[in-house]
Amino acid sequence: MRTGTVVSGRVRKDLSKTNPNGNIPLVSKSVASENRSNSRKKIQRRSKKTLICPVQKLFDTCKKVFANGKSGTVPSQENIKMLRAVLDEIKPEDVGVSPKMSFFRSKETGRSPLVTYLHIYACHRFSICIFCLPPSGVIPLHNHPEMTVFSKLLFGTMHIKSYDWVADSPQPSSDTRLAKVKVDSDFTAPCDTSILYPADGGNMHCFTAKTACAVLDVLGPPYSDPAGRHCTYYFDYPFSSFSVDGVAVAEEEKEGYAWLKEREEEPEDLTVTAMMYSGPTIKE
């Protein structure tokens, strides 16, 4: 109601409670309380609207961290910490996975258990996915050329063995190189997100599920045959398997080294099947 509006007698009675100036209606305590309650509800509704689900936050963070998208480019330490912090907070229910799902059950087939792949997102700069392994499931030793990879164990216990190349070491053959063991341990969720880099952090690794496991992976940039980022699988042999001139390791340190030989084909006992991701959707 604008100032100067004529008020009828009936309405004037309804507004008979005015302040001492006589021109502004007083609001009763009950009405004021109701107004405050409504205001709080509106604020709560606005707050709910601004909440970002964890997987959306992960996607938004990846866009910043991998904005460059070039092979071999390692994100800044600040960006690495930022993305790691986001992944550390993600729980299985945030991405719609549970140990009760059928693909986490081991089946007697006489072969290595089936590994299930859940695709969440991929572009030329980064990809997000989940690998689901039943007990005794294995992802054989493989590399991540020119890539930075974040791996978050969502649940379960997994053995991880990883290697980094020994730079400038003589080779017994063109397809076999000396590597140093980076990690050879069991990990049980919840645990810190692991990170590997193009030349450090265990760029070649193998996963073996001790129990049903789910691993959330972020790869930046992702595999790409046209860009030269091809996934190569390896056999690993004890250091003593080859004798190479110019390569010597102390006896007590030999277990910390191995010769990695490229496999000509993907492992026969590795079967990966893609299933539909059923977690929260991402808005680009």
Side-chain angles (χ1 to χ4, degrees):
M1 187 182 298
R2 296 190 299 273
T3 304
T5 301
V6 176
V7 182
S8 67
R10 181 181 299 173
V11 176
R12 190 179 297 277
K13 288 181 181 179
D14 293 335
L15 302 179
S16 58
K17 294 182 179 180
T18 62
N19 70 359
N21 294 327
N23 56 1
I24 302 175
L26 290 176
V27 180
S28 68
K29 290 184 179 180
S30 62
V31 173
S33 176
E34 183 179 348
N35 288 342
R36 284 195 297 271
S37 177
N38 290 337
S39 296
R40 281 196 297 270
K41 288 178 180 177
K42 288 179 181 178
I43 293 171
Q44 288 171 355
R45 282 197 295 270
R46 283 197 295 268
S47 298
K48 288 180 180 177
K49 288 180 181 178
T50 57
L51 287 177
I52 301 175
C53 72
V55 72
Q56 182 67 47
K57 186 176 181 180
L58 173 61
F59 170 75
D60 293 340
T61 304
C62 286
K63 285 201 300 183
K64 297 176 184 176
V65 172
F66 297 110
N68 183 293
K70 293 182 180 179
S71 291
T73 301
V74 177
S76 68
Q77 283 301 309
E78 180 182 357
N79 281 339
I80 287 171
K81 289 180 181 178
M82 178 171 61
L83 180 50
R84 188 176 200 170
V86 172
L87 282 163
D88 282 344
E89 294 299 317
I90 291 183
K91 300 176 178 60
E93 56 268 27
D94 295 329
V95 288
V97 294
S98 162
K100 296 180 180 179
M101 289 177 164
S102 61
F103 40 74
F104 290 108
R105 298 178 198 139
S106 217
K107 297 177 182 178
E108 294 296 333
T109 61
R111 299 185 48 160
S112 182
L114 189 72
V115 175
T116 301
Y117 171 86
L118 305 178
H119 171 83
I120 298 179
Y121 178 83
C123 65
H124 73 281
R125 292 181 293 136
F126 65 91
S127 64
I128 306 172
C129 64
I130 302 171
F131 286 99
C132 307
L133 291 80
S136 301
V138 176
I139 298 179
L141 185 63
H142 61 283
N143 69 345
H144 306 82
E146 302 297 306
M147 299 156 65
T148 301
V149 180
F150 295 72
S151 295
K152 163 71 175 180
L153 184 61
L154 295 168
F155 60 77
T157 297
M158 174 177 286
H159 185 86
I160 299 176
K161 189 168 188 178
S162 66
Y163 299 89
D164 287 315
W165 296 122
V166 175
D168 303 321
S169 172
Q171 300 176 222
S173 62
S174 61
D175 61 355
T176 304
R177 294 177 61 183
L178 183 63
K180 185 175 183 179
V181 176
K182 180 70 176 182
V183 174
D184 189 7
S185 302
D186 288 347
F187 293 84
T188 300
C191 56
D192 293 339
T193 298
S194 63
I195 309 171
L196 63 83
Y197 305 95
D200 189 21
N203 187 276
M204 288 76 66
H205 66 199
C206 171
F207 289 165
T208 304
K210 297 294 186 179
T211 67
C213 294
V215 183
L216 174 61
D217 266 0
V218 174
L219 293 76
Y223 290 108
S224 170
D225 287 343
R229 296 188 300 273
H230 175 68
C231 182
T232 302
Y233 290 89
Y234 299 90
F235 295 108
D236 55 344
Y237 297 101
F239 177 80
S240 58
S241 298
F242 296 90
S243 179
V244 180
D245 290 341
V247 180
V249 174
E251 188 66 35
E252 64 273 14
E253 295 179 4
K254 286 183 178 180
E255 288 189 1
Y257 292 84
W259 295 99
L260 305 191
K261 179 181 176 62
E262 291 183 19
R263 294 191 182 206
E264 294 182 359
E265 298 178 355
E266 290 188 2
E268 293 180 0
D269 58 347
L270 173 63
T271 305
V272 179
T273 183
M275 297 287 284
M276 186 70 71
Y277 165 69
S278 59
T281 55
I282 287 173
K283 294 181 181 178
E284 297 186 44

